[in-house]
Amino acid sequence: MDPVSRDLDSETRDSRPQKDSTADLQTQLGDMQITRGGDVLMDDYDVGDEKSDVAEITPDSSTDEPQDPLAHDFEGMKARILPLLPDLEPESESIYTWDIENYRSLTRRERSPKFECGGHPWRILLFPFGNNVDYASLYLEQAHEETDKPPDNWYACAQFTLCMWNKNEPTIYMCHTANHRFTAEESDWGFTRFTELRKMFAQQWEGTGRAMVENEAVSVTAYIRIYKDPTGVLWHNFINYNSKKETGMVGLRNQGATCYLNSLLQSLYFTNAFRKAIYQIPTENDTERKNSAWALQRLFYLLQTSEEAVSTQELTASFGWETRHIFEQQDVQELSRILMERMEERMKGTEAENALAKMLVGKMKTYISCINVDYESSRIEDFWDIQLNVSGNKSLDDSFKDYVQVETMDGENKYFAEGYGLQDARKGVIFESFPQVLHLQLKRFEYDINRDAMMKVNDRYEFPEVFDATPYLSDGADRSEPYLYQLHGVLVHSGDLTAGHYYAFLKPTVGGHFYRFDDDKVTRATLKEALEENFGGDYANMVNGHAGVRNPYTRTLSTKRSMSAYMLVYIRKSRERDILLDVTEQETPTHLAKQLNEERAALEKKRKDREEQHLYLPISVVTEDAFKAFQGFDLTNWESDPNAPSTPQTYRVLRASTVGDFTQTVAEALRLPAEQIRLWVMVNRQNKTIRPDQPLSDLDMTISQAYSTHCTRDKPFRLWVETARSLADSKPPWPNVNPAPGVSPLVLIFLKYFDVEDQTLKGVGHVYMKKSSKVAEVIPAIQQLMGWSPSKESTLLSSASSSGLSPISHPATSTPSIHLFEEIKQSMIEPMKPKFTLQQAEIQDGDIICFQRALSEKESSAIASTGGYTDAREFYDYLLNRIVIRFFPKMANEQEESTFSLALSRKMSYDQYSAKVGEHLKVDPTHLRFSTVLSSTGKAKQPVRRSQGLTLAQTLMPALGSYANSNQRPDALFYEILEMSISELETKRTVRIHWLPEGVVKEEPVDILAPKNGIVEDLIFPLQRKLNLSGEAAGKLRFYESHGYKISKHLSTNSILASISDYSTLFAELMPEDEDRAGDNDRAIDAFHFDKEISKPHGVPFKFVVKPGELFKDTKERLSKRTGIKGKQFEKLRFAVIQRAPYSRPTYLNDDDDLSTLATHLDDQLGLDHVNRSRLFAGKGDSIFIR
């Protein structure tokens, strides 16, 4: 049988589809017994490791007992089928039996008489012929009526069993058990498939020879136990759960994989003194998203005042994180330390300075103390947190004992004490003081040498509610105040290394309760849930013979708990009230509330605007002033910066208002009488320009009618505002655009001026001309608009001098020489013929004529030499290809002011845009080198190749499909100022040298510019200068080439650089002392590192001197000095002689071996066998950072 819980609404239970309830994980759904030979069919339910959020259903356990109770032995049955649940306190119990007669005559749905339990009415609900299934359906139902409604927010946490039995033969029965949180909304719970109908009436019930329903009669007994709810969320399904209402606190929304961040932030927020210190950082003038202090203040304020879960998007954006960082789980300790550093920086010079250090910083002493002489070397350091080993320790005290464990330095490991020589000594760490708030990082993740991987340590590890740190203080520490600590927070990780979830248990108030903060959900928790359930270790009871409990994140079975504490927060008991002090809203920065109220008001306005959007129509309006301020194609840029003076003004206009009403609105904005302006409809032409087409003459027309008459549906409504220059008889002198028949119609023309000296192109106004007028007749209007005197000496030209067209001169006066062009569309600017009429030139309303002053040959040369444009067509081409490029300094230590933007042409060559950048930086452009920018990381790609045929557009936006096109920003470049010109640089190559300053444990990459056909000797002086080496040290430099982590070639000073492979690594080091003093019989051997197999080399290879007759235990001392690997790390190394022959196996060395007798061939090598730790983090992303 498969008992499935069914939640039925009293009005719709007949028609609602069936739904299975989720079983409570503590009572282990799936362990079902049907007594007296009943068919047992168990589902293999997953067993989780966390408390279920929904009702629990547990069929009877199938244990064999000496004697089964009979169905009418109610107390015996209750003891067997309704055992007490651990860790819960019963409130009341009840047993009720319902005797059912005439079973086949029952209606589709029957209810038992009411009975009482826990002060509330209950009854049994029966679907005798099934609830849309071929099973009898049986439920327990709370029996409050409409006239007797339960109190608001009423609920009852009930463990119940429903048992159907033959009252004439009480050995025949069937029982099912469930746990459920009954509410007014979830008023019933039970079993849709309680038992099959065909078996109920069969004469052979499980081989007994009798039926369950006998003589149309059967009995149903309900066993109910009501439990007290210690947390308020026992068996809660969390539908419509309100954290603020239930707990007074709100959670943080998870952005993707930011649960680790959420748990840390909640811990810091509820360290109230920390929150108060953050509020004290002055941020009144900081509203940028990159300010992490401002963002953290806002987050804390929202947590304090919001009614719902708060987003962390502003904070992560202030950290400089991108989307990929949101989906990467990072190390909480590293994040905490970086966050503290950033906040400390922001607190300097404010009233909060040193507030965090006073609260979170303790002191520890690292010492080496000689045993036989009075000498001690020690160093006292600050610590923000303490990392404690979990593996090998059973409790917090064990970890602290392990931390302060003393190491004896004797024998070969004696300590060299200044003035006393080698001495036996004790080495260790002891604490001088602990902070008010103690952060303990538990090392739950560590490298497992057997699995060769990082693993989570799920061993049981206990920590107390009150911790005494006194035993771990030094003898001289100040003990005037007890070092007793109260547990404040437990940060938990559930899962394993590859998948899991983070949440926190925190106690916000002194002497208060623990609460569980699980992203956006906050619930009350018991002390056991906060402590014991996060110790880790084995599960206490394995039910149903399970091999383990299924991890909800990895879906694997394990006998160990996957949820365990990884960070503990303790507060010193004597300072608890100082740390957990009340932080009232009056103590929060006033500007935060003001900003948030303004933002909420703006959001409310947007919401209201959306609701009323159908009543309004947005209208974009271009004015004369906007046209004159605009530099570019057409009359304006419809998508430009809203604050730019050339940007059209957008109005939100009621559709039902009239054109006259809107004219009045625009006139008031322009501070003009309404009679002095006229609105023109602008239309989209086929050449993709937007120009005025006709005026709106009917002022009584509604805006909705005007839009439908003059505009295409779903297109924006755009208007141009014509302004009359003067009023005649209180009426504007509007030209008649629809003259009488036979009269030449007027045409509206816009004029633009290309100022050659200033390199600008701007509108100057508009004119009306007859279509029959000559093109040359536009000159007086230009003269009037420009304020040019008619006494200018030069003549007027129709186009560029290269066009070969004759000068245009006005018959009455002598005017300055100009060129005229028609702006047809962005890519078509054509000179105009002066003798053509406007009609012949195909000029219509809204067309644009551009003019410029004619230049002499000398003037043209002077302007062109500075990179300027002498012809309007050239300038239009520049505008068409104009792009704003952001330039960043390539060197990380450059000031932010070194970043700038320039407007350049896509057609510019390397030398042309280099000249522009050089002019801005005031440096020689030949010494500038550029690199493209990776869009994903913001880092520099390879330098741009200098080529005359390569344009800026080709550099920034290479052809699709090319390698250079991938992941590259089209609007940014890095720049660097070189010590030499690009031409000289092209004769050199960059050689990357890996400098080894301390054996092989540390390497520093150094880039050297060397001649392409140079030799190794050419590297010595540049390397000496970069490393600040003395002349004597530079003479001891030696170089060798490595391939596949093994030495491939030793280089002499005459070795040719071109012979060094691009796939090899070039190392440089000072000649080791062993080699410098090598004897005649000493020889050198190549050495390399490997991980278990010689086919897995890693690390830095090196050269080592072999001395004949030397025992290997002495050789190891020289090896430690040669490599720089010391102490415990060196002790983990294994050494072997390896032949270069294929498939050779390593011959491992013992302390009494002689290396010179085992490595006899010239090609033999020395191998150092140890774990390749760099491989363990090869797949890890970039380190966490906060901008």
Side-chain angles (χ1 to χ4, degrees):
M1 302 301 171
D2 180 13
V4 181
S5 167
R6 169 78 170 171
D7 175 18
L8 297 171
D9 183 272
S10 58
E11 298 299 325
T12 60
R13 63 170 58 88
D14 291 342
S15 58
R16 280 172 55 178
Q18 300 168 14
K19 61 178 183 180
D20 292 354
S21 75
T22 304
D24 182 87
L25 302 175
Q26 293 175 343
T27 53
Q28 308 298 328
L29 172 62
D31 182 13
M32 182 187 75
Q33 176 187 356
I34 303 173
T35 58
R36 293 294 177 189
D39 292 341
V40 178
L41 178 61
M42 296 186 185
D43 283 351
D44 184 19
Y45 294 98
D46 289 349
V47 182
D49 60 352
E50 296 188 45
K51 187 172 69 175
S52 171
D53 290 339
V54 297
E56 304 182 18
I57 300 174
T58 308
D60 307 331
S61 61
S62 54
T63 58
D64 294 329
E65 296 183 0
Q67 185 175 0
D68 292 337
L70 300 180
H72 56 45
D73 178 6
F74 299 126
E75 291 300 325
M77 286 291 290
K78 184 183 73 171
R80 182 178 182 278
I81 64 178
L82 201 69
L84 286 170
L85 298 177
D87 305 319
L88 292 177
E89 181 182 353
E91 184 176 328
S92 63
E93 296 180 350
S94 183
I95 301 173
Y96 173 76
T97 298
W98 178 23
D99 293 324
I100 302 171
E101 304 289 343
N102 302 316
Y103 194 96
R104 293 182 188 274
S105 301
L106 296 176
T107 62
R108 183 177 183 276
R109 177 171 52 199
E110 296 285 347
R111 287 186 172 91
S112 74
K114 295 181 182 179
F115 60 95
E116 188 270 339
C117 184
H120 297 285
W122 304 86
R123 61 191 170 198
I124 300 169
L125 173 63
L126 170 66
F127 286 76
F129 307 106
N131 183 14
N132 299 320
V133 292
D134 294 329
Y135 290 75
S137 302
L138 205 55
Y139 308 91
L140 178 66
E141 180 182 51
Q142 60 93 355
H144 286 283
E145 303 291 351
E146 287 294 325
T147 57
D148 181 29
K149 289 185 177 179
D152 291 340
N153 301 319
W154 173 86
Y155 69 90
C157 297
Q159 175 194 21
F160 67 94
T161 296
L162 296 178
C163 186
M164 181 180 287
W165 53 286
N166 185 326
K167 63 181 180 180
N168 298 317
E169 180 54 57
T171 60
I172 297 176
Y173 58 83
M174 173 174 281
C175 303
H176 294 314
T177 302
N179 304 330
H180 183 60
R181 184 187 187 90
F182 287 88
T183 64
E185 292 77 26
E186 291 191 351
S187 59
D188 46 54
W189 200 259
F191 314 95
T192 299
R193 293 177 174 85
F194 188 85
T195 184
E196 284 187 90
L197 292 172
R198 62 179 180 82
K199 295 182 67 176
M200 288 175 59
F201 295 96
Q203 292 301 317
Q204 292 290 331
W205 174 268
E206 307 298 341
T208 60
R210 301 181 70 169
M212 171 71 78
V213 180
E214 195 171 54
N215 299 325
E216 299 295 308
V218 73
S219 294
V220 177
T221 300
Y223 300 84
I224 306 178
R225 182 178 292 122
I226 306 297
Y227 284 97
K228 293 181 180 180
D229 183 4
T231 62
V233 291
L234 180 62
W235 304 328
H236 204 301
N237 61 13
F238 293 101
I239 296 173
N240 298 323
Y241 179 77
N242 187 321
S243 295
K244 185 76 170 184
K245 179 180 177 182
E246 299 297 335
T247 67
M249 295 167 284
V250 297
L252 293 167
R253 288 197 286 270
N254 194 329
Q255 295 186 53
T258 56
C259 49
Y260 71 97
L261 173 65
N262 291 349
S263 61
L264 175 64
L265 290 173
Q266 291 282 21
S267 170
L268 296 175
Y269 171 79
F270 284 106
T271 307
N272 296 0
F274 179 88
R275 189 198 327 170
K276 190 170 183 178
I278 295 299
Y279 282 155
Q280 291 173 342
I281 300 175
T283 59
E284 294 87 345
N285 302 319
D286 298 328
T287 57
E288 296 185 14
R289 290 171 63 88
K290 66 181 181 180
N291 186 331
S292 53
W294 173 78
L296 188 59
Q297 279 185 349
R298 279 173 60 95
L299 179 74
F300 281 180
Y301 181 80
L302 287 170
L303 283 173
Q304 188 167 339
T305 60
S306 180
E307 295 295 320
E308 56 187 23
V310 178
S311 172
T312 57
Q313 285 184 344
E314 279 187 347
L315 184 66
T316 54
S318 74
F319 291 170
W321 293 3
E322 301 172 0
T323 302
R324 64 189 180 89
H325 298 116
I326 301 302
F327 291 92
E328 292 176 357
Q329 287 192 351
Q330 303 287 355
D331 180 67
V332 174
Q333 182 190 18
E334 185 180 4
L335 172 63
S336 176
R337 286 183 177 178
I338 296 174
L339 183 60
M340 296 302 171
E341 288 174 6
R342 294 293 177 270
M343 295 304 106
E344 279 274 282
E345 291 171 6
R346 293 304 309 272
M347 289 178 178
K348 288 180 180 177
T350 72
E351 60 177 316
E353 186 171 5
N354 295 324
L356 299 188
K358 292 176 182 177
M359 188 192 320
L360 298 165
V361 173
K363 294 185 181 296
M364 67 169 66
K365 180 173 76 172
T366 304
Y367 65 89
I368 300 177
S369 178
C370 293
I371 297 173
N372 301 317
V373 297
D374 184 17
Y375 181 88
E376 180 179 284
S377 172
S378 63
R379 182 177 69 254
I380 295 179
E381 298 174 309
D382 290 343
F383 69 87
W384 289 78
D385 53 34
I386 304 172
Q387 289 193 65
L388 299 174
N389 288 323
V390 172
S391 183
N393 296 306
K394 295 182 178 180
S395 68
L396 188 63
D397 277 302
D398 287 349
S399 290
F400 266 96
K401 290 173 185 175
D402 176 58
Y403 199 92
V404 299
Q405 184 179 6
V406 177
E407 175 188 352
T408 301
M409 304 175 68
D410 55 10
E412 296 180 358
N413 196 30
K414 285 185 178 183
Y415 173 67
F416 183 82
E418 189 174 352
Y420 295 96
L422 294 174
Q423 294 288 331
D424 293 340
R426 295 186 181 93
K427 178 182 178 183
V429 173
I430 196 71
F431 293 95
E432 294 293 322
S433 67
F434 289 100
Q436 300 176 38
V437 180
L438 180 60
H439 283 180
L440 303 178
Q441 305 285 346
L442 307 183
K443 296 166 71 173
R444 283 286 180 183
F445 298 96
E446 63 178 30
Y447 176 72
D448 188 325
I449 193 169
N450 296 319
R451 292 182 174 89
D452 189 20
M454 293 293 291
M455 300 293 292
K456 183 180 179 184
V457 180
N458 284 318
D459 297 345
R460 183 176 177 85
Y461 181 88
E462 299 180 7
F463 47 90
E465 186 180 5
V466 176
F467 169 63
D468 185 3
T470 309
Y472 313 109
L473 290 167
S474 69
D475 294 336
D478 180 9
R479 288 177 167 82
S480 59
E481 190 177 331
Y483 280 94
L484 286 176
Y485 284 83
Q486 178 71 43
L487 183 64
H488 171 68
V490 182
L491 278 63
V492 181
H493 176 265
S494 178
D496 65 7
L497 182 71
T498 58
H501 180 57
Y502 292 84
Y503 50 92
F505 290 93
L506 300 169
K507 188 164 67 172
T509 57
V510 178
H513 300 286
F514 275 98
Y515 290 85
R516 172 170 167 156
F517 294 82
D518 191 348
D519 287 338
D520 57 356
K521 187 167 60 185
V522 183
T523 58
R524 170 95 173 269
T526 63
L527 185 62
K528 181 180 179 181
E529 287 174 329
L531 273 74
E532 187 176 336
E533 291 188 4
N534 299 306
F535 288 166
D538 295 332
Y539 284 98
N541 298 306
M542 290 285 101
V543 298
N544 285 353
H546 276 281
V549 174
R550 192 175 299 280
N551 186 311
Y553 305 103
T554 62
R555 310 302 298 164
T556 57
L557 293 173
S558 173
T559 60
K560 289 185 180 293
R561 293 178 181 272
S562 69
M563 64 280 201
S564 51
Y566 70 91
M567 178 176 169
L568 304 176
V569 181
Y570 281 92
I571 298 178
R572 197 171 183 179
K573 286 180 72 70
S574 56
R575 305 293 181 90
E576 201 171 3
R577 296 192 181 277
D578 297 331
I579 299 299
L580 300 182
L581 76 171
D582 290 335
V583 182
T584 63
E585 192 168 348
Q586 288 70 32
E587 295 178 88
T588 61
T590 55
H591 66 276
L592 291 179
K594 182 181 177 182
Q595 290 170 359
L596 288 167
N597 288 335
E598 290 173 353
E599 291 171 11
R600 287 166 183 156
L603 288 173
E604 178 60 24
K605 184 178 182 301
K606 284 184 179 179
R607 183 195 64 78
K608 188 176 179 181
D609 289 347
R610 283 196 301 269
E611 290 178 354
E612 299 176 350
Q613 187 173 359
H614 64 287
L615 301 175
Y616 291 85
L617 181 70
I619 300 178
S620 298
V621 173
V622 184
T623 63
E624 293 271 8
D625 291 339
F627 171 61
K628 291 177 181 179
F630 177 61
Q631 175 167 291
F633 300 101
D634 236 338
L635 270 64
T636 188
N637 183 356
W638 300 96
E639 298 177 357
S640 60
D641 180 5
N643 299 319
S646 61
T647 302
Q649 181 69 40
T650 300
Y651 294 85
R652 189 166 175 261
V653 186
L654 271 171
R655 290 176 177 268
S657 62
T658 64
V659 172
D661 295 335
F662 182 57
T663 302
Q664 181 66 41
T665 301
V666 175
E668 290 174 359
L670 298 176
R671 298 180 181 179
L672 293 172
E675 297 79 12
Q676 204 168 334
I677 68 171
R678 179 165 66 166
L679 304 180
W680 285 66
V681 176
M682 302 187 74
V683 297
N684 296 320
R685 294 184 177 181
Q686 290 184 347
N687 61 4
K688 298 183 179 181
T689 60
I690 303 172
R691 304 287 173 83
D693 181 61
Q694 57 181 302
L696 288 173
S697 54
D698 186 357
L699 299 182
D700 295 327
M701 181 185 293
T702 66
I703 293 296
S704 182
Q705 291 171 336
Y707 176 69
S708 59
T709 302
H710 299 287
C711 288
T712 307
R713 187 178 178 182
D714 298 330
K715 295 291 183 182
F717 198 14
R718 293 166 173 160
L719 302 176
W720 172 63
V721 182
E722 181 182 13
T723 305
R725 297 185 180 89
S726 61
L727 291 172
D729 298 328
S730 300
K731 293 183 179 180
W734 300 122
N736 187 2
V737 293
N738 296 310
V743 178
S744 178
L746 296 176
V747 61
L748 171 66
I749 300 174
F750 290 89
L751 298 172
K752 286 184 180 179
Y753 175 52
F754 171 49
D755 190 328
V756 184
E757 287 80 5
D758 293 341
Q759 294 289 291
T760 58
L761 175 70
K762 292 186 177 180
V764 294
H766 69 280
V767 296
Y768 284 95
M769 294 186 66
K770 292 183 178 181
K771 280 199 172 185
S772 58
S773 301
K774 302 285 187 182
V775 170
E777 294 179 24
V778 76
I779 296 165
I782 293 174
Q783 177 184 331
Q784 181 181 359
L785 289 171
M786 296 297 295
W788 284 343
S789 169
S791 62
K792 294 281 183 182
E793 297 180 357
S794 49
T795 59
L796 193 72
L797 299 177
S798 66
S799 62
S801 58
S802 60
S803 64
L805 299 177
S806 56
I808 306 172
S809 56
H810 191 266
T813 59
S814 177
T815 55
S817 300
I818 62 173
H819 302 310
L820 297 176
F821 304 89
E822 182 187 359
E823 181 186 315
I824 300 173
K825 59 181 182 180
Q826 287 190 0
S827 58
M828 188 179 293
I829 313 298
E830 295 185 349
M832 301 187 72
K833 297 180 179 179
K835 295 182 180 180
F836 273 32
T837 65
L838 296 178
Q839 188 163 359
Q840 289 173 321
E842 299 182 353
I843 298 297
Q844 60 182 349
D845 282 331
D847 281 355
I848 298 174
I849 294 178
C850 173
F851 61 94
Q852 74 168 85
R853 185 175 68 83
L855 301 175
S856 66
E857 188 173 338
K858 182 178 180 180
E859 289 175 318
S860 295
S861 300
I863 292 172
S865 64
T866 62
Y869 300 95
T870 59
D871 188 284
R873 288 170 294 184
E874 294 176 354
F875 192 75
Y876 269 105
D877 183 71
Y878 159 71
L879 293 178
L880 180 63
N881 293 284
R882 180 174 55 180
I883 181 174
V884 177
I885 305 298
R886 190 75 172 160
F887 288 91
F888 302 95
K890 194 170 183 179
M891 303 303 292
N893 56 356
E894 293 280 352
Q895 297 294 322
E896 191 173 345
E897 292 75 19
S898 301
T899 299
F900 59 92
S901 297
L902 288 179
L904 305 172
S905 172
R906 291 182 177 87
K907 292 185 175 181
M908 282 183 169
S909 65
Y910 187 102
D911 290 343
Q912 287 175 324
Y913 64 78
S914 180
K916 291 286 186 182
V917 175
E919 181 183 350
H920 177 87
L921 295 173
K922 297 181 174 56
V923 299
D924 187 346
T926 62
H927 285 57
L928 287 171
R929 183 167 67 169
F930 303 94
S931 303
T932 51
V933 182
L934 275 168
S935 57
S936 58
T937 63
K939 296 180 180 178
K941 295 180 73 175
Q942 291 296 320
V944 176
R945 181 172 54 87
R946 178 175 176 267
S947 171
Q948 290 300 325
L950 191 67
T951 65
L952 179 60
Q954 292 169 333
T955 299
L956 293 171
M957 294 166 282
L960 288 174
S962 67
Y963 175 77
N965 180 268
S966 61
N967 200 18
Q968 179 173 303
R969 280 187 61 173
D971 61 347
L973 287 171
F974 279 103
Y975 71 89
E976 53 184 322
I977 303 171
L978 305 175
E979 296 178 356
M980 63 188 73
S981 69
I982 291 291
S983 301
E984 184 181 355
L985 182 66
E986 289 174 349
T987 65
K988 298 181 179 294
R989 61 173 291 190
T990 300
V991 179
R992 169 155 288 188
I993 300 172
H994 291 259
W995 166 243
L996 304 174
E998 302 172 8
V1000 298
V1001 295
K1002 183 179 179 182
E1003 56 178 303
E1004 301 172 0
V1006 180
D1007 289 334
I1008 300 292
L1009 280 174
K1012 286 185 177 179
N1013 20 341
I1015 58 177
V1016 170
E1017 188 176 13
D1018 296 326
L1019 303 175
I1020 295 176
F1021 177 70
L1023 188 62
Q1024 177 189 357
R1025 187 174 59 179
K1026 283 203 173 188
L1027 299 177
N1028 295 319
L1029 298 177
S1030 65
E1032 181 183 357
K1036 294 183 178 181
L1037 280 172
R1038 72 141 173 231
F1039 301 83
Y1040 60 92
E1041 187 179 350
S1042 163
H1043 183 75
Y1045 302 104
K1046 298 179 182 179
I1047 295 177
S1048 58
K1049 188 189 300 182
H1050 295 279
L1051 301 173
S1052 68
T1053 54
N1054 294 322
S1055 297
I1056 299 173
L1057 294 178
S1059 67
I1060 300 174
S1061 170
D1062 292 336
Y1063 301 100
S1064 296
T1065 305
L1066 180 61
F1067 289 101
E1069 64 176 353
L1070 295 177
M1071 178 77 73
E1073 186 178 338
D1074 264 7
E1075 286 189 53
D1076 203 23
R1077 298 179 179 179
D1080 294 338
N1081 296 324
D1082 296 342
R1083 63 186 182 86
I1085 187 174
D1086 290 344
F1088 72 96
H1089 309 262
F1090 67 96
D1091 188 349
K1092 296 181 182 177
E1093 301 175 14
I1094 60 175
S1095 60
K1096 296 179 180 179
H1098 62 90
V1100 179
F1102 59 96
K1103 194 175 179 181
F1104 182 67
V1105 173
V1106 178
K1107 295 182 177 294
E1110 182 183 55
L1111 292 179
F1112 194 68
K1113 66 176 183 179
D1114 299 322
T1115 305
K1116 286 200 296 185
E1117 291 182 10
R1118 292 194 298 110
L1119 271 168
S1120 176
K1121 185 176 180 181
R1122 173 69 177 91
T1123 60
I1125 306 173
K1126 300 176 181 178
K1128 290 184 179 180
Q1129 189 177 358
F1130 186 80
E1131 292 173 5
K1132 295 178 181 178
L1133 301 183
R1134 299 174 65 199
F1135 302 90
V1137 173
I1138 300 165
Q1139 298 178 347
R1140 285 191 183 264
Y1143 312 110
S1144 63
R1145 299 179 65 84
T1147 303
Y1148 285 93
L1149 297 165
N1150 298 315
D1151 284 354
D1152 54 355
D1153 287 334
D1154 182 351
L1155 178 59
S1156 64
T1157 62
L1158 295 174
T1160 55
H1161 298 283
L1162 293 177
D1163 288 341
D1164 287 347
Q1165 296 175 296
L1166 176 63
L1168 285 69
D1169 182 1
H1170 59 102
V1171 173
N1172 178 10
R1173 292 198 172 274
S1174 62
R1175 179 174 58 83
L1176 302 178
F1177 306 101
K1180 183 174 171 60
D1182 293 341
S1183 294
I1184 194 169
F1185 64 93
I1186 296 178
R1187 179 168 53 194

